[in-house]
């Protein structure tokens, strides 16, 4: 039996528009071609023209015209707080670490090396479990480490 396929993404779809959802981790929200299973058990195929970074609220547009809305899965994160949050954010960004930036805290994926560095800098670091919604890349979208300058994804050295 052929799976319903998604060839396109609809950005920031209204929650009432999609009857189904799929809950994906930060890493799983970066894909081009993959078989997925919606939260209700419905299997579908994602077959996009190029690799996409999906955010919570984006949706797969299926060939039958329906949508499956993306939700961010709870993940093991580090919550970073401290008196000098902009300085701490700079150190996180300088290491090309994806970061969710809020007014009173930063969230990053758990990493014992980054945790030790931040603690050494005076941060309070607490383990939490919640959805991870980091900032987009330098151009307002995509992954911070990918340098997505359009449709072609490439990587290059950052030796300084």
């Amino acid at each position: 039996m052929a799976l319903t396929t998604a060839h396109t993404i609809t950005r920031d779809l209204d929650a009432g528009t999609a009857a189904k959802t799929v809950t994906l981790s930060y890493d799983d929200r970066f894909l081009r071609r993959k078989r997925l299973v919606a939260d209700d058990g419905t299997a579908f195929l994602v077959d996009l023209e190029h690799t996409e970074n999906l955010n919570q609220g984006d949706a797969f547009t299926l060939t039958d015209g329906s949508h499956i809305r993306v939700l961010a899965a709870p993940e093991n994160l580090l919550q970073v707080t401290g008196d000098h949050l902009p300085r701490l954010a700079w150190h996180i960004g300088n290491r090309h670490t994806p970061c969710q930036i809020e007014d009173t805290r930063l969230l990053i994926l758990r990493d014992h090396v980054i945790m030790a560095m931040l603690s050494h800098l005076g941060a309070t670091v607490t383990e939490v479990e919640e959805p991870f919604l980091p900032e987009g890349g330098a151009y307002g979208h995509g992954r911070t480490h990918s340098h997505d300058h359009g449709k072609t994804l490439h990587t290059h050295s950052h030796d300084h």
Side-chain angles (χ1 to χ4, degrees):
M1 182 168 125
L3 295 177
T4 304
T5 303
H7 295 290
T8 59
I9 301 298
T10 301
R11 299 292 179 184
D12 200 25
L13 185 73
D14 177 45
T17 304
K20 296 181 181 182
T21 59
V22 61
T23 303
L24 301 171
S25 70
Y26 173 69
D27 286 338
D28 290 339
R29 294 192 315 263
F30 189 65
L31 72 159
R32 187 187 94 58
R33 189 167 201 277
K34 188 172 186 178
R35 180 186 183 275
L36 295 176
V37 178
D39 296 333
D40 72 351
T42 303
F44 65 102
L45 179 65
V46 176
D47 187 13
L48 305 173
E49 184 178 330
H50 51 87
T51 303
E52 293 282 352
N53 179 63
L54 298 156
N55 294 308
Q56 179 160 286
D58 291 343
F60 296 102
T61 303
L62 303 177
T63 51
D64 66 5
S66 65
H67 296 93
I68 298 179
R69 191 166 182 266
V70 175
L71 301 177
E75 300 191 57
N76 295 322
L77 305 174
L78 296 176
Q79 174 180 272
V80 181
T81 58
D83 292 335
H84 304 287
L85 214 50
R87 178 174 177 253
L88 298 171
W90 184 89
H91 281 283
I92 291 168
N94 191 48
R95 283 144 185 91
H96 294 259
T97 300
C99 183
Q100 181 173 328
I101 301 171
E102 299 178 2
D103 290 340
T104 60
R105 69 180 187 159
L106 307 171
L107 292 171
I108 61 172
L109 294 170
R110 286 190 191 165
D111 179 315
H112 70 279
V113 173
I114 301 293
M115 182 178 187
M117 175 202 67
L118 292 167
S119 295
H120 177 75
L121 291 169
T124 300
V125 183
T126 308
E127 293 182 358
V128 297
E129 185 175 327
E130 56 187 86
F132 186 47
L133 306 167
E135 292 292 314
Y139 298 93
H141 56 80
R143 301 285 170 135
T144 58
H145 65 271
S146 71
H147 299 287
D148 183 0
H149 302 290
K151 289 192 175 190
T152 304
L153 183 68
H154 67 275
T155 59
H156 50 266
S157 173
H158 287 272
D159 295 334
H160 299 285

